[in-house]
Amino acid sequence: MDLRPLRHFAAVAEELHFGRAADRLGMTQPPLSQSIQALERRLGAPLFARTRRSVALTPFGAAWLPQVQAALAAVEALEPAAERILGGQSGRLELSFVSTADYSILPRLVHRFRDLYPEVELALSEATTDRQVAALAEGRGQAGIVILQGGGLLPEGFSYLRLLREPLIAAVPETWITQGRLVPAAGRLAPAAVTAAPLILFPRRAAPYFHDLVTGYYEDRGARPRVVQHAIQMQTIISLVSAGMGIALVPGSLRSLARAGVRYLDLGEDPPHLETGLIWRRDDPAPVLRNFLRVVADEADAPR
């Protein structure tokens, strides 16, 4: 249906006067009357009850008016909506993240991005680094927070930005300390105590860099880790530590994950550092991604 007769109908219905409606529309009264009559013929029912002194909506016209007004408002909103989409002020951003980011960089990024772009739908999903890389390579999702050293071995066409570098610490069962099985010194755990304890660890397929960083800590000290359990969720790893199954080497930001029965201790003698970064496809033209990258760059450069 042509929008012009709808606008003509709405103007007359709101003014209840053909002359004022014509002035409002910037036209003369005769073509306005002809337009309303043609619309009534098309609909098969009168929209107005006319006399020489007054114009009133018919029951049908009164019932149809709100729908016409809503349709016209929706049409008028299309151009500003397109501008917001093209400017990245609205739309949808799909962001995946490793579980460790939930305790470090992710909350800050989400809070900042939502403050700046409240109309953007932010779809978050937790996934291991390997699954994120595979999904993005297949065109699913737009960006991912991963654990990779300097971008690692990414497929062609990917970009990488370092977000955070933090030391590993030890998560140990509280009972091991109270019972004297582990004896920290000034809140630190000696390398010999770490290498002698059973270890709970990410499987290498899920987080190769994280896995190798932990096992490299043992190898650098002439030891081999005694892995008693693999787990891909950080919450699961900490739960197993709480149960006394073993210790885990985790990012320092995980101190915010308080769990009864778990103590976090610094590692003595030059602890390894874990790097968390953002990956995305360079050929993704989405304006919302462009705006998100600006927020990420600001957060990555911000002092801690």
Side-chain angles (χ1 to χ4, degrees):
M1 181 176 287
D2 189 348
L3 291 177
R4 283 175 298 178
L6 296 182
R7 291 193 175 97
H8 296 167
F9 163 63
V12 176
E14 290 160 7
E15 300 289 345
L16 291 179
H17 192 283
F18 274 82
R20 289 196 298 270
D23 289 342
R24 171 176 155 182
L25 294 166
M27 61 190 300
T28 59
Q29 186 171 332
L32 175 60
S33 297
Q34 294 168 8
S35 174
I36 296 296
Q37 292 168 4
L39 180 59
E40 290 174 323
R41 286 195 299 272
R42 177 170 181 176
L43 296 173
L47 294 166
F48 297 100
R50 306 166 179 84
T51 68
R52 288 190 175 186
R53 294 180 177 272
S54 66
V55 176
L57 283 162
T58 63
F60 165 61
W64 196 44
L65 176 61
Q67 298 178 50
V68 171
Q69 290 170 324
L72 291 174
V75 169
E76 290 171 0
L78 287 176
E79 185 173 349
E83 292 174 353
R84 289 195 299 276
I85 292 171
L86 291 172
Q89 283 80 38
S90 67
R92 176 182 171 90
L93 177 69
E94 297 181 8
L95 174 67
S96 54
F97 61 95
V98 290
S99 62
T100 53
D102 199 21
Y103 306 97
S104 57
I105 190 69
L106 181 65
R108 293 199 302 273
L109 289 179
V110 169
H111 184 269
R112 180 63 175 159
F113 187 72
R114 286 198 182 283
D115 274 353
L116 292 174
Y117 305 102
E119 293 183 37
V120 174
E121 178 188 357
L122 187 56
L124 300 172
S125 60
E126 184 178 331
T128 55
T129 295
D130 61 326
R131 291 184 179 274
Q132 291 189 60
V133 173
L136 286 167
E138 294 170 2
R140 293 182 284 116
Q142 290 165 289
I145 300 176
V146 298
I147 293 175
L148 287 174
Q149 177 64 28
L153 299 175
L154 287 173
E156 183 68 24
F158 274 62
S159 290
Y160 175 84
L161 175 66
R162 189 177 81 177
L163 299 176
L164 180 68
R165 188 173 183 269
E166 55 184 330
L168 294 187
I169 61 175
V172 305
E174 181 81 31
T175 55
W176 288 16
I177 297 175
T178 58
Q179 295 170 3
R181 184 171 175 179
L182 288 177
V183 183
R188 293 180 177 273
L189 198 60
V194 175
T195 57
L199 180 68
I200 304 165
L201 182 62
F202 270 88
R204 193 178 190 281
R205 60 172 175 76
Y209 172 59
F210 194 175
H211 180 280
D212 293 350
L213 191 66
V214 172
T215 56
Y217 176 84
Y218 286 75
E219 293 167 0
D220 290 346
R221 288 153 182 82
R224 177 176 296 179
R226 180 161 54 95
V227 179
V228 293
Q229 182 65 51
H230 285 108
I232 62 173
Q233 297 292 332
M234 194 55 69
Q235 298 93 327
T236 303
I237 290 176
I238 298 302
S239 293
L240 295 175
V241 171
S242 176
M245 182 174 285
I247 71 169
L249 300 190
V250 299
S253 56
L254 219 72
R255 292 184 190 273
S256 61
L257 177 56
R259 181 66 59 86
V262 176
R263 179 87 65 89
Y264 295 105
L265 301 172
D266 291 333
L267 297 177
E269 297 184 14
D270 192 23
H273 283 68
L274 183 72
E275 183 172 307
T276 302
L278 185 81
I279 59 172
W280 68 95
R281 296 184 304 274
R282 283 196 296 270
D283 62 356
D284 190 333
V288 289
L289 176 60
R290 181 180 63 241
N291 288 344
F292 180 70
L293 293 176
R294 291 196 186 102
V295 171
V296 169
D298 289 343
E299 283 296 320
D301 292 339
R304 299 286 177 251

